[in-house]
Amino acid sequence: METTRLFLALWPEQRVREQLRQARDTWTWPGKASPVLAERLHLTLHFLGDLPSARLPALAAGLAVPFQPFELTLGTPVLWAHGVAVLEPDAIEEALLDLQAALGRALAGLGVAADPRPYRPHVALARRAASACVPPPGAPISWPVRGYALVQSKQGNYTVVRQYHC
């Protein structure tokens, strides 16, 4: 059975993507670090994992949920355990949590189990970065959220399968 690796994410417009890249580039990375390529920077809402490819049309249709547009402000650089460097929101917007929860309910209705761990919104900037020096917070990045995306991950490449707008 053929499968497709999928996730739901806030997919930044070019202006925001460039600001995320600039924030990534303020870090000093150790030699083994693997910075995320600019075109792959995103904020994951749900990781779906490997699902049967034949389900893709039904999943894409069933993941359209209504939501209110909102502003997300990112600006807190953090080095997580296991060497994951991230940029976290300065404050977690209720609208972001509402969207993430609505998508979780849609996934459940489609028979896809959501991650049971508490949601911790972030943009991953690098992996294998355990000894990186965390820079001071830079200028806040204001991200106007007007949509989200269903994204396929295949051999390290990301392809937007479908974009959803409010």
Side-chain angles (χ1 to χ4, degrees):
M1 169 177 62
E2 185 181 342
T3 62
T4 303
R5 189 173 197 84
L6 299 166
F7 62 93
L8 289 161
L10 298 184
W11 203 251
E13 62 183 36
Q14 192 56 43
R15 177 190 61 80
V16 172
R17 186 174 302 283
E18 178 58 22
Q19 290 176 314
L20 293 171
R21 184 202 57 77
Q22 289 172 4
R24 180 201 65 197
D25 291 349
T26 63
W27 291 66
T28 301
W29 303 116
K32 293 183 180 180
S34 179
V36 175
L37 296 175
E39 62 269 15
R40 295 184 192 156
L41 293 167
H42 65 277
L43 189 143
T44 300
L45 296 164
H46 285 280
F47 178 71
L48 284 61
D50 293 318
L51 297 173
S53 298
R55 292 194 62 200
L56 192 54
L59 286 169
L63 290 171
V65 300
F67 72 98
Q68 293 297 313
F70 60 94
E71 294 287 322
L72 180 64
T73 303
L74 298 160
T76 307
V78 179
L79 187 57
W80 284 1
H82 309 294
V84 179
V86 302
L87 194 60
E88 293 181 338
D90 292 338
I92 299 177
E93 295 293 326
E94 194 66 33
L96 172 62
L97 298 178
D98 290 346
L99 173 58
Q100 197 266 348
L103 288 167
R105 290 188 297 275
L107 287 169
L110 292 164
V112 178
D115 189 338
R117 296 176 294 181
Y119 181 55
R120 192 170 174 192
H122 65 279
V123 174
L125 301 175
R127 305 202 184 295
R128 296 187 299 281
S131 60
C133 294
V134 179
I141 297 171
S142 179
W143 184 342
V145 177
R146 305 295 181 260
Y148 59 96
L150 176 63
V151 183
Q152 175 184 358
S153 173
K154 185 174 184 180
Q155 299 175 337
N157 295 312
Y158 296 163
T159 304
V160 173
V161 174
R162 181 166 173 185
Q163 293 219 0
Y164 305 85
H165 300 283
C166 56

